[in-house]
Amino acid sequence: MRKILYFICCLLILSACTGKKTIETVPEYPISIKKKVTNIFLGRPSEIAYMDSFLLISDNMNETLLDIYDLKGDSMFSRVLNVGQGPDELLSPITVEVSEEERELYILQRQNSQMNTYSFYDLMQGTFHPQKSVNLQDADRAIAVCNGFLASGFYEDGTFHLFDTSGKNLASIDIYPSYMQELKDIYEKYKLGQGYFAYNQNSHVLVFASYFTGDVFFYSMEGNQLFQQKHFSFGDGKIERKIESLKNNINIEGDNIVYSYGAYTAGNYFYILYSGRTLKEEQSSKKGNYILKFDLKGNFICKYKHDFPVIDMCFADNGDFYAISQSENLEYTIITFSLD
């Protein structure tokens, strides 16, 4: 009996010394709202970005798709980019990303995979013609990387396609788990394996956080290739078991768990919006979710718990985060908080 107890103690000590950090074991810190942006009326915003003391909010409101909010003036500067199929009009929904260094906006139309690059100052002055517009071939999400754009979408040959700035397909990159290779339908594979990703331009590191499988991958990007650095699995294995048993026609149901629903980089860190609750619970409220913090090597630093909804967020040069949230009466609002 003593030998058994000694053996168990040794295992526990070894586990504590060498085990990976998990959601349960990393330090947890609370977040509180510092300020609410009150002088703003939003429709149904989905994404937010920051540029030069302005917030850029994707929001289909009054037949426009982008709100520009002036933080210094505490007022709506303009609503731009009309909905439609005419010259300089866009199809909804869109994704929004910025390059503060280049003073550019990258806007992807998810319906037709068209990626437009805009000068921030052109938009401010009322010029809505993009500097460049390229098609990213079946892309549903895309971000700017060192040599062009990295897109995820309905691809037969991988998770990502890498495009240069002219829209030429440079490479296909497959990071789907091995059990997903059994799925022959590309739409089903994307539905189950989709996720959010962010790229740190200084370190050339990419994070990919899956929506339904619970995987978080860190990769170094060298040329047209990705090399895995770290992998965390927060999933319960339900998607894998469904694939193994059903092989196809796999539905996402209310009891499936939503894991990651946003990925960001700021300074020397990555941040991931994390739920860990069922789809049914997540659709009713985003209160009580977490923001996970990792360094650029993929080390799990800590988690922050918030008791208010965070739908999307961005980092400002004053050190604060701005986020799309919802009030108790379900009105959309903008809040600020810090993660110190």
Side-chain angles (χ1 to χ4, degrees), residues 203-206 218-222 225-229:
S203 65
H204 306 298
V205 174
L206 176 87
F218 293 87
Y219 298 91
S220 61
M221 191 168 191
E222 300 176 21
Q225 293 181 292
L226 295 179
F227 297 93
Q228 185 177 315
Q229 291 183 323

Side-chain angles (χ1 to χ4, degrees), residues 272-283:
I272 293 171
L273 295 181
Y274 180 86
S275 170
R277 301 185 298 164
T278 65
L279 182 61
K280 185 177 181 180
E281 292 170 332
E282 185 66 15
Q283 288 173 340

